[in-house]
Amino acid sequence: MTSSANYQQILSDSDTDSDNGRTESFPDLSSSILKPYLESTNQSSLATSQSPSELSKIKSFLASSSSGALSCLICLERIKPSDPTWHCSTICYSIFHLICIQSWARQSSDLSASLAASRLPITAEKAAESSTWNCPKCRSQYSKSQIPKKYLCFCGKLEDPYSEDPWILPHSCNEICNRPLQNNCGHFCLLLCHPGPCPPCPKLVNSSCFCRKFQEVRRCGFKSFSCNKICSKPLDCRTHKCLQICHEGPCPPCKARAVYMCRCGRVEEERECCERDFRCENACGKALDCGKHVCERGCHVGQCGGCPLQGKRTCPCGKRVYEGMSCDVAVPLCGATCDKMLSCRIHRCHDRCHRGPCIETCRMVIAKLCRCRSLKKEVPCYQDLVCERKCQRMRDCGRHACKRRCCNGDCPPCSEICGKRLLCKNHKCPSPCHRCHGPRPPPNPEFTLKTKKKKSNHQSEVTPGSPCPPCPELIWRSCVGEHIGAERMMVCSDRTQFSCDNLCGNPLPCGNHYCTKYCHALKSQSSLSVEKRSAESCEERMPTCPHSCPLPCHPGECPPCKVLVKRSCHCGSMVHVFECIYFNTLSEKEQMAARSCGGPCHRKLPYCTHLCPEICHPGQCPLPEQCCKKVTVRCVCQTLKKEWHCLDVQAAYRNIGRDPKDISKNQFGLGLLRCNSDCKSKVQVVDSVLQSRKPKVEEKEPATEKHVGKRRKRRERVRVVNQASRLQRIFTAVKWLLLFVTLSVAVAAGLYYGYKGLLKLSDWMNEVEEQRQRKRFPRI
C-alpha cells in the first residue's frame, strides 16, 4: 500500500500542469541512464567522473527534463511529457514540438523553392524537390524528404514513445540507444535512450600517436594522441625532416633556407625550400628553329620548341588555310565575313576578315524583357533593360511589399523591426520583421499522430430539454486588425473583441501608403484616411523631374510629364522648347546634341575680334588662340598694309608686350608695320594734291565767327530747346485750364436744370393727384 501511494503521489505530481501554478517534477534519472557508461569506464558516480562535453550535454538535457524547463524555441511554450516532439540530430540536439517543426520546415522549404524557381532556370516541381530547410537553432540543413512525419523516441526505434511511468524519461523508449558512435569506430552507444549526443566510445583499444612511434592502450573515443616528441617525418622535399612536436594532420611546408636557381638557370636567389622551384622575370630570348624569331616564353625548363608560325596557317577569321608560307610573312585577309562569336554569345561579327579582336559590345537591336518580365522593348544587345515598375510582392515577413524597381523576384529580407508583443505580454520582439511568435498552425493531415484518450473522472449531468451550455474550449483568436502574432487564447463562447495596440500597417487603397492608426477593425477602415491620402499629391515621379505629378496619390506609375521646358542653345542664339518627359529621358550626351542649334557658334573669340567658326557647341570655344582668319595689318600712317593670319597678329602683339584682348576692333592690326622712306614722300604728294583740289576762298570770315566751339554751339541749342519747351508747357497748362472750366460749367448747368426739372415734375404730379381727388370726392 505504501509503494502504491508513493506511485500515485509521483504520478499526480508529474501530471500537474504549469498553467495551474505548479511545474512538473520527475525523479532524477541520470544514474539509471548513465549507469552502463560509468560501469564501462570503472567510475562509481557522476560526481567523481571526468565527463567529456557530450556527457555534459546529456546531463543538462536530463536536468531540464527533470525540472520541466524544456521549451520549444519556435512557439516559446513549455514542452510537456505528452507533447509529440522532434530533436535535431546534427549539432545542437534541441527539442521542438513536432507540429511546430513541421510548420517551420514546410514554410522554409516552400520559401527556398520559390526563390530557386525565380533565380534559376528550373521548373517549380524540380525546385520543390531540391528545396531544403534548416534547424531553427543551429541552422543545420535538411532536405524536404527529412521533414518529420512521426513522433519517434530519441534513438529512433519506437514510434509514439509516450508513457505514464514516472521512472521512464519522457520521449524515451527506455531501451539501449545502440546508435553508432562518432568517428565510425564500429562500436555502439551503451546508454539508455537519451537526448543529446552520444558520449565518446569507452572501449579500450591499442592506438598509435600521430607520428606512429609509440603505442598505448586508450579509450576508443580518445585514441588519437600526441607523444610530445619531435615528429621527424620526411617532408615533401625528401631532404629535410619535420621539426615540430608530434602533431595531427600533414606536416607543414619545409622552411629551410638555401640558394636556389630559377628554371632557366640565369638567376640565383636565397629562398625557402618549399619555394625552390621559381621562375625569373626575364624572357627566354633564344632563337627558334626557323632562325627568324626568338622564344617569347618566360623562364622555362627544356627546349623552346618549334616556331608557332610554321606549317599550316589560317587567315584571322580561320576560313582560309595557307600552306608553305614563310613564317615571317603576314597572312593575307580572305575578305569574307569574320563570323566569330561576339562576347554576348548570341550574335556573330559582321565585319570582314580583320586582325585584332572583334568589337567588345554587340550593337544588334533585339527585343528584350526587363528583369521583372513586364516590359518588352527593342534595345541593343549589350544594354540591360530595366523598367520603372515597383515590385508588389510581399517580402518574407508577409506584411510589407518589396517596392523595388524592376525586381527579378529575389526580394530582399524585410529590414523593418518586428515590434509585435511576445507571449509574455510585457515585451515586444526586437528582431527584424518575420513570422515567429505566432499561433500554432493547424495540423497537416499528411502528418498523422495517434491521439491519446484520457479517462473522464466525472459523468456529464444534462437535463433533457435544457439548452446547451456555452462552449468552454480554448481557441486562438486574432485581434480586430487581424495581425499575425497578436492572437490570444480565449474561451470559444467569449465574443469579446480586443486590440493588440500595435500599428495597423494594412495597405491603403492608394497602394502606396499604409495605415498609421493603432489596431482597429478592418471593416471601419478609414474613409477619412482614404480621403486624406487622396488629397495629398503624389510623392515621386519617374523619371525624376522638377515638376510634381498633377494627380493625387494613386497606385501604379505617374503619367508622363508634358510640361514644356525651355533650353537655350550653347551659343545663345536660339531657345528650344522640349517636353519634360522627352528631355529627361535623354542621356547627358543626347541632351547636349539636342540643345545645339546646328548653326555657327556666333560667340566672339577671347583673343581677337572674330567669331567662333565651329558649329554650335557646349563649353569654351576650341583653340581660340589658333584663329586662322586674315587680318589687314597697317603701319602707323596707314600707308603700308599687308594681310596676316589672326594668330600671327596675336603673337606680334604679345611680342611687343600688349594683350590682344585690350585692342579695339578698329585698331586691331594698326601699327604692327614700320613706316619707311616711301611713307613720307607719299604723304607729301597726297597733301599737295589735296591742296590743289580745294576751292579758292576770296574773303575770309572773321575768326570770331569761324572758330566757334562745339560746347558753345551745344549750349545754344539746349537754350533754344529749353525756350521752346517752356512755351509748350505754358500752352499745355492753359489748354487744361480751359478744359477744366468748360467741364465745371457744364456740370453746374446740368445740376441746375436737373433740379428745376425735378421741381416742375413734382408740381405736375401734385396737380394730377388733386384732380384725381376732386373726381373721387366732388364737393356737395
Side-chain angles (χ1 to χ4, degrees), residues 359-649:
I359 55 175
E360 296 182 358
T361 56
C362 178
R363 300 187 179 274
M364 294 289 293
V365 177
I366 59 174
K368 276 191 175 184
L369 288 171
C370 63
R371 291 182 298 187
C372 65
R373 307 185 72 82
S374 63
L375 175 63
K376 187 175 182 181
K377 188 178 179 182
E378 290 187 351
V379 293
C381 182
Y382 73 94
Q383 183 177 345
D384 293 331
L385 182 60
V386 180
C387 70
E388 301 298 331
R389 179 178 174 271
K390 293 181 180 179
C391 180
Q392 299 296 332
R393 294 187 182 93
M394 301 301 292
R395 297 193 180 184
D396 54 358
C397 64
R399 295 179 57 194
H400 304 104
C402 177
K403 294 293 183 183
R404 286 202 309 170
R405 302 283 181 185
C406 194
C407 181
N408 60 353
D410 186 11
C411 302
C414 187
S415 58
E416 298 188 14
I417 301 300
C418 177
K420 299 177 184 177
R421 291 190 181 274
L422 300 176
L423 295 180
C424 64
K425 307 300 181 183
N426 296 326
H427 305 93
K428 293 185 178 180
C429 180
S431 302
C433 192
H434 57 101
R435 287 187 180 186
C436 70
H437 312 307
R440 288 188 180 182
N444 192 342
E446 180 184 355
F447 308 103
T448 56
L449 299 173
K450 294 182 179 179
T451 58
K452 298 295 182 180
K453 296 182 180 180
K454 295 185 179 179
K455 296 180 180 180
S456 59
N457 296 327
H458 64 280
Q459 296 180 355
S460 59
E461 298 179 358
V462 180
T463 304
S466 61
C468 298
C471 180
E473 295 294 330
L474 295 176
I475 61 173
W476 289 98
R477 184 167 293 166
S478 61
C479 61
V480 293
E482 298 182 1
H483 293 137
I484 300 176
E487 294 83 356
R488 293 182 184 177
M489 183 69 75
M490 301 179 67
V491 179
C492 181
S493 58
D494 186 5
R495 298 296 179 181
T496 304
Q497 295 184 345
F498 67 95
S499 173
C500 64
D501 297 332
N502 292 325
L503 291 178
C504 176
N506 290 307
L508 295 178
C510 68
N512 295 330
H513 304 93
Y514 297 88
C515 182
T516 57
K517 293 184 177 181
Y518 287 96
C519 180
H520 60 86
L522 296 180
K523 292 183 180 179
S524 62
Q525 184 178 1
S526 74
S527 59
L528 295 177
S529 297
V530 174
E531 294 177 0
K532 182 179 178 182
R533 287 298 183 186
S534 62
E536 295 181 0
S537 60
C538 189
E539 290 183 352
E540 57 179 345
R541 197 170 196 169
M542 295 302 293
T544 305
C545 71
H547 311 105
S548 59
C549 179
L551 301 179
C553 185
H554 60 87
E557 299 180 354
C558 300
C561 182
K562 299 293 184 179
V563 179
L564 298 179
V565 293
K566 295 182 179 180
R567 295 292 184 269
S568 62
C569 67
H570 306 297
C571 63
S573 61
M574 183 182 294
V575 176
H576 300 280
V577 179
F578 304 99
E579 284 189 352
C580 182
I581 181 63
Y582 167 74
F583 189 74
N584 286 329
T585 52
L586 298 177
S587 63
E588 184 177 359
K589 185 176 180 181
E590 292 173 342
Q591 289 181 357
M592 290 297 179
R595 288 181 58 182
S596 176
C597 63
C601 180
H602 289 300
R603 284 187 285 182
K604 182 179 175 298
L605 295 177
Y607 302 119
C608 62
T609 60
H610 303 112
L611 302 179
C612 179
E614 300 291 335
I615 301 299
C616 180
H617 60 85
Q620 298 294 332
C621 295
L623 300 176
E625 67 279 358
Q626 299 293 330
C627 180
C628 295
K629 291 191 176 182
K630 293 183 178 181
V631 179
T632 302
V633 181
R634 298 176 183 271
C635 62
V636 177
C637 63
Q638 299 187 8
T639 302
L640 303 177
K641 65 177 182 179
K642 289 184 179 180
E643 286 189 350
W644 289 6
H645 289 290
C646 184
L647 57 93
D648 297 333
V649 176

Side-chain angles (χ1 to χ4, degrees), residues 656-684:
I656 62 177
R658 300 183 64 183
D659 193 352
K661 295 181 181 178
D662 302 335
I663 309 301
S664 61
K665 182 176 181 180
N666 56 356
Q667 297 293 327
F668 196 75
L670 184 61
L672 293 180
L673 297 179
R674 293 183 180 180
C675 294
N676 55 14
S677 59
D678 297 335
C679 293
K680 296 181 179 180
S681 60
K682 289 182 180 180
V683 170
Q684 293 176 358

Side-chain angles (χ1 to χ4, degrees), residues 32 80 180 187 284 296 362 465 539 550 628 631 752:
S32 60
K80 300 178 182 179
H187 304 118
C284 178
E296 297 179 355
C362 178
E539 290 183 352
C628 295
V631 179
Y752 175 76

Side-chain angles (χ1 to χ4, degrees), residues 44 51 86 104 177 213 239 258 263 299 306-307 318 322 339-340 386 409 486 494 500 527 610 667 743:
S44 59
S51 57
W86 176 86
W104 174 281
C177 177
K213 292 182 179 179
T239 305
R263 293 185 178 180
C299 179
C307 181
Y322 299 92
D339 208 28
K340 288 183 180 178
V386 180
D494 186 5
C500 64
S527 59
H610 303 112
Q667 297 293 327
L743 290 175

